[in-house]
């Protein structure tokens, strides 16, 4: 299981333009509601998208329920 620090550090180290949103953002602001997913809002320009693809490839992503 990935952890928030590992994900955010990877995005930051790849100079990706993003903002943490959703439940983890609420937890970071002191909410007692726990959530395990990580939601981000990212810049959709071509350069940033290429950096995102490179960064997340390190985590070996796959589509849930799709054939390999």
């Amino acid at each position: 299981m990935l952890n928030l620090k590992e994900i955010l550090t990877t995005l930051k180290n790849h100079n990706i333009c993003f903002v943490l949103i959703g439940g983890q953002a609420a937890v970071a602001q002191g909410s007692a509601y726990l959530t395990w997913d990580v939601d981000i809002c990212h810049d959709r320009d071509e350069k940033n998208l290429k950096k995102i693809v490179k960064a997340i490839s390190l985590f070996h992503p796959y589509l849930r329920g799709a054939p390999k």
Side-chain angles (χ1 to χ4, degrees):
M1 177 179 246
L2 301 174
N3 67 47
L4 179 63
K5 183 176 181 180
E6 182 179 11
I7 294 168
L8 296 181
T9 299
T10 299
L11 296 176
K12 181 178 176 272
N13 288 344
H14 282 82
N15 297 312
I16 294 168
C17 183
F18 74 97
V19 176
L20 181 66
I21 61 172
Q24 288 291 335
V27 170
Q29 295 295 319
S31 173
Y33 178 76
L34 293 179
T35 179
W36 300 110
D37 60 324
V38 177
D39 303 304
I40 65 166
C41 183
H42 57 85
D43 187 337
R44 293 184 178 190
D45 74 24
E46 186 175 347
K47 187 175 179 182
N48 202 54
L49 290 174
K50 287 180 179 181
K51 290 190 280 186
I52 291 170
V53 169
K54 184 176 180 181
I56 67 171
S57 70
L58 301 172
F59 297 110
H60 309 287
Y62 60 93
L63 295 174
R64 191 178 339 168
K68 292 185 179 186

